[in-house]
Amino acid sequence: MRIVLIGAGRLAAHLAPALRQAGHELQQVFSRTEASAGALAELTGAEAVTSLSDVVTDADVYVCAVKDAVLPALLPSLCKGREEALFLHTAGSMPMSIFQDHARHYGVLYPMQTFSKERRLDFSRIPVFIEADSAATLSVVERLARSVSSTVRVLSSADRRHLHLSAVFACNFVNHCYQLAGDLLAQHDIPFETLLPLIDETAAKVHDLSPREAQTGPAVRYDENVIRMQADMLSGLPKDLYLLMSDSIHQSQTSNSTSTQ
């Protein structure tokens, strides 16, 4: 397929090489920032453009990998004059219906993963969730998705929003906890790498156990002495977050124990 990538951020930086490796022709990379568009275009053999007026009109697919707030304002100009093309966005929380007044053929291609430009990923292992305006369009979107990923699943906009929310808890909030842990260690000149075996085992356990079964620590048994002592140690760090998380863990464990009796 002939593809134009709208956006040159973290997701685009991983999707573009995967599309090229799958045999698609990446015609252009659009970004308002010349440096971003140029870097990704050079990597994939595409043309870099920084104005929507320079985006070609004869591509088969236009993949929008931009910030959610940018997408609504972008679509009227992008879709005009490209009525036969397929338009996709890659967002977890944006509904597919955002295309309704602008495009005839549209859908969603949402790779659920955390992306950083500094890390290379095997895109084929990233689950991709898709949606489309019709069965015919869905067939095209699925073919595109399966060319870059071995795990493709159809998911509605409503369910995708819940999936994205769960990903925020499982990834973004957890990573913030890593940051807080690192800040706490730094106050005492303990390297963050000290935690890596613990982090690795915590992540590995949930491949075999449910998160509830894998949970350990003072909040499980609600050891109030330890919880109070540790909360008081959090000088300059969010004590309220510690107490809320401890209470949530305890309630979850207590609720599960009650329901299985």
Side-chain angles (χ1 to χ4, degrees):
M1 299 182 190
R2 294 171 300 172
I3 298 173
V4 170
L5 191 57
I6 306 298
R10 287 175 293 183
L11 190 157
H14 288 81
L15 178 58
L19 289 169
R20 187 185 187 196
Q21 186 175 354
H24 301 289
E25 179 188 348
L26 199 63
Q27 291 182 276
Q28 292 178 323
V29 173
F30 165 84
S31 175
R32 298 287 187 190
T33 306
E34 186 173 350
S36 298
L40 188 53
E42 183 178 0
L43 180 66
T44 57
E47 177 190 9
V49 294
T50 57
S51 172
L52 284 178
S53 62
D54 293 328
V55 173
V56 296
T57 59
D58 62 345
D60 299 312
V61 185
Y62 295 82
V63 180
C64 301
V66 296
K67 294 180 180 179
D68 291 5
V70 173
L71 191 56
L74 191 69
L75 293 183
S77 299
L78 178 63
C79 297
K80 187 177 181 180
R82 301 174 177 89
E83 286 76 13
E84 298 308 313
L86 169 61
F87 292 86
L88 302 173
H89 77 64
T90 60
S93 293
M94 292 294 287
M96 180 180 67
S97 59
I98 195 170
F99 288 114
Q100 277 184 352
D101 296 330
H102 309 291
R104 293 179 186 172
H105 314 290
Y106 53 88
V108 176
L109 189 148
Y110 169 52
M112 192 189 69
Q113 185 53 277
T114 174
F115 295 103
S116 296
K117 287 186 177 181
E118 300 79 9
R119 285 184 59 82
R120 298 264 58 88
L121 298 173
D122 180 355
F123 209 97
S124 67
R125 299 184 61 185
I126 299 173
V128 174
F129 298 85
I130 62 172
E131 188 180 10
D133 67 281
S134 67
T137 305
L138 184 63
S139 177
V140 178
V141 178
E142 183 173 7
R143 180 155 48 93
L144 177 63
R146 291 196 182 281
S147 72
V148 295
S149 172
S150 59
T151 304
V152 176
R153 180 178 174 182
V154 178
L155 201 66
S156 69
S157 289
D159 286 342
R160 181 166 28 84
R161 287 177 64 192
H162 285 87
L163 176 64
H164 187 242
L165 174 59
S166 73
V168 168
F169 274 91
C171 174
N172 307 129
F173 289 175
V174 169
N175 191 74
H176 182 59
C177 287
Y178 293 160
Q179 179 188 332
L180 294 176
D183 291 345
L184 182 61
L185 290 175
Q187 293 175 8
H188 302 276
D189 296 321
I190 303 172
F192 181 77
E193 290 75 13
T194 305
L195 292 178
L196 292 181
L198 176 65
I199 290 171
D200 292 343
E201 173 59 13
T202 302
K205 277 200 296 187
V206 294
H207 285 266
D208 302 311
L209 303 173
S210 72
R212 184 175 282 109
E213 291 172 324
Q215 188 68 61
T216 61
V220 173
R221 57 189 182 273
Y222 214 70
D223 190 328
E224 294 187 62
N225 290 331
V226 174
I227 291 172
R228 190 180 305 112
M229 177 191 68
Q230 291 189 337
D232 290 341
M233 292 169 61
L234 291 171
S235 175
L237 291 172
K239 178 177 178 178
D240 289 347
L241 178 60
Y242 174 89
L243 293 172
L244 284 170
M245 290 286 281
S246 295
D247 188 55
S248 179
I249 290 170
H250 179 64
Q251 289 187 28
S252 174
Q253 297 292 321
T254 302
S255 172
N256 185 59
S257 297
T258 302
S259 65
T260 56
Q261 287 178 355

